[in-house]
Amino acid sequence: MPRIALVTLAVCVLAVAAAVVSFVQGSWLGIVWVLLAGLTSNMTFLAIRRERARTGGTGTGSATG
């Protein structure tokens, strides 16, 4: 998995956690966190797809080791 995909995945997880905390506290600022989570999840998906297209594989590793 490319490094940028790992970073965007981490940001996505943190944004979801921040959204949950914001909504639990009754703040509507959680909407911004939800939007950020959606953006970063798309960035993660595109980075993984770009890496798979570049390497020509499925991205699951070699079956023969």
Side-chain angles (χ1 to χ4, degrees), residues 7-8 10-11 14 18-20 22-23 25 27 31 35 40-42 44-47 50 52-54 56 65:
V7 171
T8 56
V11 172
L14 291 174
V20 169
S22 292
F23 285 130
Q25 292 180 348
S27 173
I31 293 173
L35 293 174
T40 56
S41 69
N42 286 339
T44 303
F45 172 74
L46 290 174
R50 184 184 314 138
R52 285 184 183 170
R54 187 180 65 82

Side-chain angles (χ1 to χ4, degrees):
M1 184 178 293
R3 184 179 302 164
I4 189 70
L6 292 174
V7 171
T8 56
L9 183 62
V11 172
C12 181
V13 169
L14 291 174
V16 168
V20 169
V21 169
S22 292
F23 285 130
V24 165
Q25 292 180 348
S27 173
W28 286 96
L29 188 63
I31 293 173
V32 175
W33 292 114
V34 169
L35 293 174
L36 182 64
L39 176 69
T40 56
S41 69
N42 286 339
M43 290 173 63
T44 303
F45 172 74
L46 290 174
I48 291 171
R49 197 170 92 178
R50 184 184 314 138
E51 179 67 19
R52 285 184 183 170
R54 187 180 65 82
T55 59
T58 59
T60 57
S62 175
T64 59

